[in-house]
Amino acid sequence: NISADSSDVLSIAAGSEIDLTATDIDINGTVTFGGGDITLAEEQKIIFDSADTYITTNTDSPEDLVISADADVILEPDEDVLLNPAGKTIMTSSGGGGNTCMNGGSGSPNAVLEVEQGSTGGYPCVLVDNDDTDEIALKIDAANITANVLQINADAVTTADVIEINADGLTSGSILNLLSSATATHNLINIVADSATTGKGIYMSMDGLTTGKMMHLEDDSSSTSARDCVLIHQTNDAALDATALKVIS
């Protein structure tokens, strides 16, 4: 049954199926489907304003869904965006705050970008592999004032290192370079390990030394104020057998 009303609306009705067979079907305007499915054969496309902007499938079994666009692919849902391959959520993007949780996250993310890995992941949670030799691999540009820029909580670590840095190719560079132009009245490096007993607060080994130094402390201040360039202070009166400084050569 094909009919048209006074508003130039064409209606096509059938008791079961409508089979349209043609090389191309051009539709100008809005098409409304009241119910049922739209089925396309494999590799057939829904093409938009150009041949490079379309939705289609390939001939794999099971087939893949392909979305192609001349420019960007934009998703604008009112709620969250979820990626659930094989029923497992690997990404949740919160529509309310723009936060994203990667790999195994559930519920609302706790940060703008949250990366979670389960106990059986079997690979690093985050990997940065940078092959551009004159560019920074990881950069943090923080405007923080009262909050830490970098915070690591690793209370479960026992025999491993919390931070390990390998830099075997160094020539004139440094493993760690700390710079500050602040007029500091506090500790620039602060180590608190008050529960340590037989361990060492700082341990350094440089068995290949020739004309170098294990430690070089330099004070070039012109201030005439009385000060200690180096202070070693054992403050407990009961530690009678403690040696403040021991040098063996």
Side-chain angles (χ1 to χ4, degrees):
N1 183 13
I2 300 177
S3 60
D5 59 20
S6 59
S7 300
D8 294 330
V9 175
L10 179 66
S11 299
I12 302 176
S16 57
E17 298 179 355
I18 298 175
D19 186 4
L20 299 178
T21 302
T23 302
D24 295 301
I25 299 176
D26 294 328
I27 300 176
N28 297 314
T30 301
V31 178
T32 302
F33 294 90
D37 299 327
I38 301 174
T39 302
L40 299 179
E42 61 185 17
E43 289 195 303
Q44 301 304 304
K45 300 177 181 178
I46 300 176
I47 300 175
F48 297 91
D49 63 337
S50 72
D52 294 329
T53 303
Y54 58 83
I55 300 174
T56 186
T57 63
N58 56 24
T59 58
D60 293 349
S61 180
E63 65 277 356
D64 301 318
L65 178 66
V66 180
I67 300 176
S68 176
D70 277 340
D72 300 330
V73 175
I74 302 173
L75 302 177
E76 295 184 346
D78 290 337
E79 298 295 333
D80 298 341
V81 175
L82 305 176
L83 294 183
N84 299 315
K88 178 182 179 182
T89 301
I90 63 169
M91 188 187 81
T92 302
S93 182
S94 175
N99 300 347
T100 300
C101 181
M102 304 292 293
N103 193 22
S106 59
S108 298
N110 297 313
V112 175
L113 177 62
E114 178 181 350
V115 181
E116 296 184 7
Q117 178 171 229
S119 59
T120 59
Y123 41 77
C125 191
V126 176
L127 173 64
V128 178
D129 187 350
N130 178 44
D131 294 326
D132 195 337
T133 59
D134 60 352
E135 293 295 335
I136 297 173
L138 179 62
K139 181 177 181 180
I140 299 175
D141 186 355
N144 299 39
I145 298 176
T146 58
N148 297 335
V149 173
L150 180 63
Q151 179 171 324
I152 300 174
N153 297 324
D155 292 336
V157 175
T158 55
T159 58
D161 298 321
V162 175
I163 298 176
E164 178 179 337
I165 301 175
N166 296 315
D168 294 336
L170 284 177
T171 55
S172 59
S174 304
I175 293 179
L176 186 63
N177 187 24
L178 306 177
L179 304 174
S180 175
S181 60
T183 305
T185 59
H186 55 283
N187 301 330
L188 292 182
I189 298 178
N190 192 34
I191 300 175
V192 178
D194 292 337
S195 297
T197 55
T198 59
K200 301 175 178 63
I202 297 175
Y203 176 80
M204 184 186 306
S205 176
M206 298 180 68
D207 292 341
L209 276 179
T210 55
T211 59
K213 303 174 180 66
M214 289 191 67
M215 184 178 293
H216 182 142
L217 306 177
E218 184 173 324
D219 178 357
D220 191 31
S221 173
S222 62
S223 173
T224 59
S225 301
R227 62 184 182 276
D228 299 315
C229 290
V230 177
L231 173 64
I232 300 175
H233 191 187
Q234 207 305 111
T235 58
N236 197 308
D237 294 337
L240 298 178
D241 291 332
T243 302
L245 177 64
K246 184 176 182 179
V247 179
I248 300 175
S249 179

